[in-house]
Amino acid sequence: MTGMLTAIGLMSGTSLDGIDVALLRTDGEAVVERGPSMGRSYDVAFRRRLQGALETAKMIGERGERPGDLDEIERELTLRHAEAVRAFLTENDLRPDDIDVIGFHGQTVLHRPNQGLTVQLGDGDLLARETGIDVVYDMRANDMAHGGQGAPLIPAYHAALAAGLSRASGEAVVFVNIGGISNITFVGSGSEIVAYDSGPGNTLIDQWVEAHAGIPYDQGGLIASEGRVDAGLVERYLGHVFFTDKVRRSLDRNDFRPPQGAEASLEDGARTLAHVTAAAILRSARHLPERPKLYVVCGGGRLNPVIMDDLAALAGSEGAAVVAAEAVDLNGDSMEAEAWAYLAVRSLRGLPLTFPGTTGVTAPVTGGLLRKAAPSD
């Protein structure tokens, strides 16, 4: 399959906040034409069901198992994605026939790379039937079957975007995605790509403020801005073996846990965890081939000025600049959804999704399962 395809990418991340939808026209290689995007938030009740699903998923021993109510949640999650696609098409005056493929991430509820086990809730067959569009999904599993960590998958898209950035010749750039878990992609002056999870992102702050203030996240870093950094807590997190281990590995949402309730006030806990989010990125960047001069930040964490200020200060001490994706004409909200559209096209063309330098896979491999939509009458 060659030429340009029109793809929709769907992303529901570890923050459990909702669905991002983005449209892309691409050949799956160097040509990327970014289109419209939108986000749809989950209601509080469904978000809590997803939080419960994370606990239920701990019982899973095989990828196909759906203990408890996971089957029911998977169906509802898929139907919500289908509704998001329909709303997106209507909003942008598009028809299903205008779209060649949907890249469907689903909702990660379990990720144990050391066991070769990753589970994303999402029914590709149902989504294809509901939308009338071909669907590529389950894009992590083949990487893990070939010795990879199953994450991160976005670096192939980051490399395509880096080619369009204005930067000094030979200047390395790092894309930082601060979602529930943070990850970084290093793009060198040549074709070298190195990527890995860099530590906890928003998940610790989200869990902390939800437990102590009853709200899903610290909007605009307002709570953190009223607190102080607890250096002891910071060192406890940064002393985790994850940051010193020579082998980079992908993280599960539960690999780092928020402090105990009595360890900090609401404000000091939020402030400390914001600093941990920033410091973890720079600590993990020590494993890169060289220190970059530019960090481009996407994901929800870029909207927290406390995280961004700490990251800018820490990177600045190493002679690097930090900018939000929008400063280089990219979309920090939709980048992951765009990536899933891009990866779906690569999957259709049999191109690699992951590489030894991104997931530790033994050789570049493609991935994903294709579910064809029923022919329209």
Side-chain angles (χ1 to χ4, degrees):
M1 182 177 293
T2 60
M4 298 285 283
L5 296 179
T6 301
I8 285 176
L10 300 174
M11 183 69 197
S12 178
T14 51
S15 294
L16 310 177
D17 52 356
I19 303 165
D20 291 322
V21 188
L23 184 137
L24 208 68
R25 277 188 53 77
T26 182
D27 61 355
E29 297 188 84
V31 181
V32 174
E33 297 174 4
R34 296 167 42 242
S37 62
M38 74 173 212
R40 287 173 74 91
S41 297
Y42 291 138
D43 56 80
V44 173
F46 188 65
R47 189 168 184 270
R48 286 178 177 159
R49 290 190 71 198
L50 289 178
Q51 290 171 334
L54 297 176
E55 295 302 313
T56 306
K58 292 177 182 178
M59 297 186 286
I60 294 176
E62 300 288 342
R63 295 191 65 248
E65 293 177 359
R66 295 293 185 267
D69 61 352
L70 289 188
D71 260 331
E72 180 185 337
I73 292 174
E74 182 168 51
R75 177 175 173 78
E76 183 173 349
L77 178 101
T78 305
L79 291 175
R80 285 172 179 257
H81 278 72
E83 178 55 35
V85 170
R86 287 191 288 268
F88 179 80
L89 293 175
T90 298
E91 184 175 297
N92 292 285
D93 196 25
L94 295 166
R95 299 174 301 127
D97 287 350
D98 296 324
I99 311 300
D100 294 301
V101 67
I102 293 172
F104 180 28
H105 178 267
Q107 183 67 57
T108 298
V109 292
L110 188 71
H111 189 69
R112 294 177 180 164
N114 292 338
Q115 300 173 24
L117 180 62
T118 188
V119 178
Q120 285 75 44
L121 297 184
D123 185 335
D125 284 320
L126 178 59
L127 186 64
R129 291 198 304 272
E130 286 286 322
T131 61
I133 303 169
D134 293 353
V135 173
V136 173
Y137 72 115
D138 200 15
M139 290 192 232
R140 299 187 188 275
N142 197 47
D143 175 82
M144 297 183 87
H146 289 82
Q149 292 273 308
L153 262 66
I154 298 178
Y157 184 57
H158 285 157
L161 293 179
L165 290 180
S166 297
R167 53 189 173 121
S169 178
E171 184 178 272
V173 60
V174 168
F175 286 85
V176 182
N177 177 56
I178 307 178
I181 301 297
S182 292
N183 53 68
I184 58 178
T185 300
F186 167 92
V187 183
S189 56
S191 58
E192 184 178 19
I193 308 172
V194 176
Y196 45 79
D197 284 355
S198 56
N202 299 315
T203 185
L204 292 179
I205 308 169
D206 292 350
Q207 291 177 74
W208 177 259
V209 299
E210 184 154 31
H212 296 278
I215 55 179
Y217 62 96
D218 182 11
Q219 185 170 10
L222 292 176
I223 297 173
S225 68
E226 298 293 327
R228 295 189 301 174
V229 174
D230 183 319
L233 275 178
V234 171
E235 284 310 309
R236 190 174 84 193
Y237 282 106
L238 297 184
H240 195 289
V241 66
F242 171 79
F243 296 106
T244 55
D245 196 332
K246 292 182 179 179
V247 178
R248 299 289 82 210
R249 66 180 183 85
S250 57
L251 291 169
D252 181 77
R253 190 172 184 266
N254 295 309
D255 285 335
F256 288 86
R257 303 297 298 170
Q260 296 298 311
E263 290 187 276
S265 68
L266 168 65
E267 295 81 6
D268 289 354
R271 179 67 186 88
T272 299
L273 294 173
H275 185 77
V276 167
T277 297
I281 292 164
L282 271 295
R283 186 66 59 96
S284 289
R286 296 177 181 177
H287 296 275
L288 294 172
E290 62 182 279
R291 293 298 174 90
K293 294 296 185 183
L294 177 65
Y295 290 86
V296 177
V297 187
C298 60
R302 83 191 190 291
L303 303 177
N304 185 322
V306 178
I307 294 175
M308 290 294 283
D309 287 349
D310 281 2
L311 185 58
L314 292 168
S317 69
E318 299 180 359
V322 172
V323 299
E326 287 73 15
V328 289
D329 297 322
L330 299 175
N331 188 324
D333 285 327
S334 65
M335 193 179 295
E336 282 195 283
E338 291 170 13
W340 241 253
Y342 180 79
L343 292 171
V345 173
R346 288 184 70 85
S347 177
L348 289 178
R349 297 189 59 196
L351 296 169
L353 307 187
T354 57
F355 306 85
T358 62
T359 66
V361 69
T362 52
V365 294
T366 191
L369 300 176
L370 173 63
R371 292 295 180 262
K372 303 283 287 184
S376 56
D377 295 333

